[in-house]
Amino acid sequence: MVRTKDPAVRTQLIERAARMLRAREPITLRSVVAGTGLSTMAVYTYFGGMEGLWQAMRQEGFTRLAAELNAVTLTADPVRDLAALGAAYLSNALAGPGLYRVMFDADFALEDPAAADETLHCLVRAVERAKTIGRFRSDVDPQALATQSWAIGHGLVSLVATGPLPREALDYGAPMLTALFTSGGDDPDTCHRSVELGWTPSHPRNDSR
């Protein structure tokens, strides 16, 4: 009789590997199951091997990011929403730095690339909304501006999560986004107010959630 896979075991292995990555511990077939009561066969059963585990970790990082972005309450102010999405991005990365590190490891294919792409499309849609109401110029490329916004968040959180910048450096995000959005045509004063309203990264959790 084929045994039903337990989703809790799959999650346990992903989170254990993420914690080990955060602690810079070597992740091997044996080390990832050490102390869990599981055998090395569990890695093959749930992931097909270590490469599958890395793929699952990468996908889980984007899955959690998508959940964080989808939890952002959208308003009538798309520029504020762009800043809020950026803040959610930072909060997600700081909550799970282990998973965040592996999210961008292109050596391992994603299980669902479309789901990962959707995280960027959340930003693209907000830029399109800002264009529609005249906050950004009509010639602004939504994907380009969304990517630049992502790059600001990614650069900041990478420097904070791994050093050398302190947590307070996250405050630099607001003026950087304001400069980016005003370059897209937004009024400086209006833009500043919108970004300040949206840029509120929450207190980070950890990989064990």
Side-chain angles (χ1 to χ4, degrees):
M1 182 176 68
V2 178
R3 296 182 62 185
T4 302
K5 293 181 181 179
D6 183 353
V9 173
R10 186 179 189 277
T11 300
Q12 178 185 4
L13 290 170
I14 289 174
E15 294 188 341
R16 175 168 170 77
R19 288 193 298 271
M20 293 174 68
L21 183 62
R22 180 182 185 182
R24 304 186 187 282
E25 299 174 6
I27 302 175
T28 67
L29 189 61
R30 292 186 181 278
S31 67
V32 80
V33 298
T36 65
L38 301 170
S39 71
T40 55
M41 184 55 65
V43 178
Y44 290 100
T45 299
Y46 286 88
F47 306 103
M50 287 301 294
E51 182 169 343
L53 173 58
W54 284 99
Q55 289 177 340
M57 289 172 64
R58 190 176 181 213
Q59 191 71 50
E60 181 66 16
F62 279 103
T63 297
R64 293 189 182 187
L65 173 59
E68 195 83 25
L69 296 181
N70 287 333
V72 173
T73 300
L74 300 183
T75 68
D77 182 347
V79 176
R80 175 267 173 202
D81 296 346
L82 276 168
L85 289 167
Y89 180 92
L90 265 64
S91 295
N92 178 75
L94 293 173
L99 289 177
Y100 185 75
R101 286 178 60 189
V102 79
M103 280 171 64
F104 303 100
D105 188 344
D107 288 339
F108 300 97
L110 285 164
E111 297 174 329
D112 184 0
D117 290 343
E118 176 59 20
T119 57
L120 175 61
H121 293 160
C122 287
L123 299 174
V124 173
R125 288 192 293 270
V127 176
E128 291 172 340
R129 289 171 51 221
K131 284 183 61 176
T132 297
I133 66 172
R135 295 286 294 270
F136 294 155
R137 295 191 309 274
S138 61
D139 63 347
V140 166
D141 181 340
Q143 180 142 338
L145 191 63
T147 301
Q148 292 171 57
S149 177
W150 184 305
I152 288 172
H154 180 71
L156 269 178
V157 80
S158 296
L159 290 169
V160 169
T162 62
L165 296 183
R167 188 66 53 86
E168 290 74 21
L170 297 179
D171 292 339
Y172 300 156
M176 292 171 72
L177 288 178
T178 300
L180 174 63
F181 300 154
T182 54
S183 75
D186 202 14
D187 173 76
D189 291 335
T190 304
C191 185
H192 173 76
R193 288 193 294 271
S194 293
V195 171
E196 288 294 325
L197 284 172
W199 191 253
T200 53
S202 64
H203 185 72
R205 292 156 294 191
N206 56 53
D207 279 321
S208 63
R209 63 175 174 157

